Amino acid sequence: MAGVAPISAEDLRAAVAPTAGWLAGEGEQPPRAVLGAAVKTSARWLAQHVPGRSVEVRVPPFVAVQCIPGPRHTRGTPPNVIETDAATWLRLATGQLTWAGALAEGKVSASGNRADLSEHLPLRPLSSRSSGPHHGQEPSPG
């Protein structure tokens, strides 16, 4: 993600925080700009911390990012694509929904042998879990 300022954990949490009530079923859907900021920031944070170009993560209509090390594609539809809606993406990013659960419920479309984000979700700054480091992310001190 050359030319893009790094996203801090604080910026990530601040972007996603306004969606918490809605994701928990306790409020109305946030305005499109708020929802878009949460989705874009969280997807870009993933791409920043798990860099690569072998998997494309799509959350239409808000963002598409490439991540995961491995063979890259240069033209046409990539061989490894993950696509989901904004609510599912944010629930995955925050740990309210597991990768396996999302796949089983048909909430995520994942094609290709590298199209698996289970190692990388939930995003550490958004997770209440503190057991062990996630791949590509710094371990907790202590």
Side-chain angles (χ1 to χ4, degrees), residues 32-138:
R32 182 178 170 91
V34 171
L35 187 56
V39 170
K40 289 174 190 174
T41 302
S42 56
R44 290 174 180 160
W45 194 92
L46 173 70
Q48 173 182 298
H49 288 272
V50 190
R53 302 195 99 190
S54 69
V55 177
E56 186 164 290
V57 178
R58 299 175 181 169
V59 186
F62 299 109
V63 72
V65 297
Q66 292 181 354
C67 57
I68 314 290
R72 64 182 266 184
H73 70 279
T74 55
R75 293 170 50 186
T77 301
N80 300 288
V81 176
I82 295 165
E83 187 166 331
T84 192
D85 62 274
T88 300
W89 169 252
L90 292 171
R91 287 185 179 111
L92 286 165
T94 59
Q96 295 176 37
L97 179 63
T98 66
W99 179 254
L103 287 174
E105 293 174 26
K107 294 183 179 242
V108 170
S109 169
S111 62
N113 61 357
R114 293 178 177 270
D116 181 353
L117 295 179
S118 59
E119 276 188 63
H120 312 293
L121 296 171
L123 302 180
R124 185 175 250 340
L126 301 177
S127 172
S128 58
R129 294 188 308 164
S130 59
S131 59
H134 289 214
H135 177 76
Q137 300 172 11
E138 293 297 316

